[in-house]
Amino acid sequence: MTRGSTLSAHPLSRSTGRLAIPAQTRTSPASLPDLPELLDGFNALPADEATHRLLGCLRNLRWARRIADHRPYPTVEALFAASDEAAYDLTAADLAEALAGETLPPLPDDAYEAAHMALGAAHAAYEARFGHAFVIYLGDIPAREALDRTLEAIRSRLTNDPDDERIIAWEELRRLARQRLLALLADTGPRPDGRHPRHGA
């Protein structure tokens, strides 16, 4: 299968999604205490609940259903591989849906009004050029640097060809989905008392 070939086949329809500096969780595989048990919690979720929770990782219904339907996953690596595979198969319409679902978290409380104006102006220029929301994976970038990195990335990516930028946006969403999946595993895993969050005491 040719990776990413569906992404440039059709232009994206214009979305009205706001600028997305997605919430960047700091969960990593090394920080999760018992991955098999965390997977057990995720694997055991009812299909509808799993799909709903997965939509918080990548906001496309077809992707979420595919990940939910292919449970159980034996390892986190297997879950990541399934996530990547489903992301590779996103159509242009799927990608537009996922981008439209991204929202703008609030800027830090101490951000100056000029920062809000600069961010708004940069995103307006980006959306006017590409017709969809801006997304970026910030990884382990400190929160205090997120605004500067985002502004820098928007301005840099404004020079991209639209088809190339669509591929970059897809890659950012794929990486964000992995990051959010780890947070989902932590949330559906056992509590310190050994019980799963969705089960009674």
Side-chain angles (χ1 to χ4, degrees):
M1 178 176 60
T2 302
R3 302 300 193 197
S5 60
T6 57
L7 296 179
S8 59
H10 306 286
L12 289 173
S13 59
R14 181 169 181 79
S15 85
T16 57
R18 295 184 299 157
L19 172 63
I21 311 177
Q24 306 288 315
T25 62
R26 302 303 177 198
T27 309
S28 67
S31 69
L32 299 180
D34 193 338
L35 290 176
E37 285 197 19
L38 291 173
L39 277 166
D40 287 345
F42 171 69
N43 285 333
L45 290 175
D48 288 347
E49 183 178 350
T51 299
H52 175 74
R53 299 292 290 273
L54 285 162
L55 282 170
C57 300
L58 194 151
R59 294 165 177 86
N60 172 257
L61 186 58
R62 192 165 72 93
W63 178 90
R65 285 175 173 166
R66 178 166 164 177
I67 301 304
D69 289 348
H70 282 78
R71 293 175 302 157
Y73 296 98
T75 64
V76 174
E77 289 74 18
L79 175 59
F80 279 175
S83 173
D84 287 351
E85 187 73 16
Y88 285 133
D89 289 340
L90 291 177
T91 65
D94 290 331
L95 181 59
E97 178 186 331
L99 288 169
E102 295 293 331
T103 58
L104 175 64
L107 288 174
D109 292 338
D110 58 352
Y112 294 105
E113 182 178 353
H116 289 264
M117 295 178 62
L119 194 59
H123 180 251
Y126 178 94
E127 192 175 42
R129 174 163 172 73
F130 299 114
H132 60 78
F134 177 83
V135 288
I136 184 171
Y137 170 78
L138 295 173
D140 294 325
I141 304 262
R144 65 182 179 277
E145 299 179 18
L147 176 60
D148 288 342
R149 294 295 184 96
T150 300
L151 282 169
E152 179 183 350
I154 294 178
R155 291 162 178 164
S156 174
R157 286 162 55 180
L158 272 170
T159 63
N160 289 339
D161 175 84
D163 285 343
D164 291 340
E165 178 57 26
R166 188 162 53 243
I167 299 290
I168 292 172
W170 162 81
E171 172 64 13
E172 298 297 300
L173 286 174
R174 183 192 69 81
R175 298 174 70 194
L176 281 166
R178 280 176 163 243
Q179 183 184 53
R180 291 163 176 172
L181 280 170
L182 283 177
L184 174 57
L185 291 181
D187 190 50
T188 57
R191 301 179 309 205
D193 60 8
R195 298 187 179 97
H196 285 272
R198 50 179 316 276
H199 296 304

